[in-house]
Amino acid sequence: MRSYQDRILDLVRAVPPVDVQNRLMTADDGALAMAMLYMGDMDREKILGFISRAKAERVREEVRRNDHVRILYSQYETAASTIIRKLSGDRNVKSAKRYYRPFRGSDR
């Protein structure tokens, strides 16, 4: 089974660019940031290149925030699945609730 990040990148390549842009622009900033959790910088920037500068900056801020919170893998899976469904054209996608849990250096 392909990883979530590979499935997201596959969809970004397969879906027409204007549809990728429209779908990502309506995605929740936090869900998008969390869905990119295990991606490298090049892949993140490729995805962020589809959205407006303002939204891209908000998502980058969420990515930075994610470095300071504990994220369970199940939370990542939920966010990634949400973005996959969004990119697949599902119009009924609802954003998952996010709860930030700060961590101390040894918690992670």
Side-chain angles (χ1 to χ4, degrees):
M1 180 180 205
R2 297 192 50 81
S3 67
Y4 288 103
Q5 62 265 24
D6 287 339
R7 290 167 56 197
I8 290 169
L9 292 167
D10 287 346
L11 282 166
V12 166
R13 285 188 282 271
V15 174
V18 71
D19 291 335
V20 172
Q21 179 182 31
N22 291 337
R23 293 170 187 176
L24 290 179
M25 285 299 294
T26 62
D28 178 72
D29 297 349
L32 183 54
M34 196 175 293
M36 297 189 305
L37 189 65
Y38 298 109
M39 289 184 189
D41 289 338
M42 279 182 50
D43 290 333
R44 284 182 186 167
E45 289 304 315
K46 177 178 182 163
I47 290 172
L48 294 176
F50 284 97
I51 58 179
S52 70
R53 285 185 200 154
K55 183 172 181 82
E57 191 50 46
R58 291 193 310 267
V59 172
R60 284 185 190 100
E61 180 61 34
E62 290 283 340
V63 168
R64 287 189 289 274
R65 183 177 305 155
N66 287 344
D67 289 339
H68 302 287
V69 295
R70 179 180 301 149
I71 298 171
L72 301 175
Y73 192 76
S74 61
Q75 292 171 305
Y76 162 73
E77 285 180 311
T78 300
S81 294
T82 298
I83 298 302
I84 288 168
R85 288 178 51 212
K86 181 68 101 168
L87 285 169
S88 297
D90 186 342
R91 295 177 189 257
N92 297 317
V93 177
K94 301 217 187 231
S95 292
K97 292 181 181 178
R98 292 174 284 144
Y99 298 99
Y100 290 110
R101 189 172 202 177
F103 72 93
R104 295 184 186 111
S106 62
D107 284 353
R108 221 172 206 196

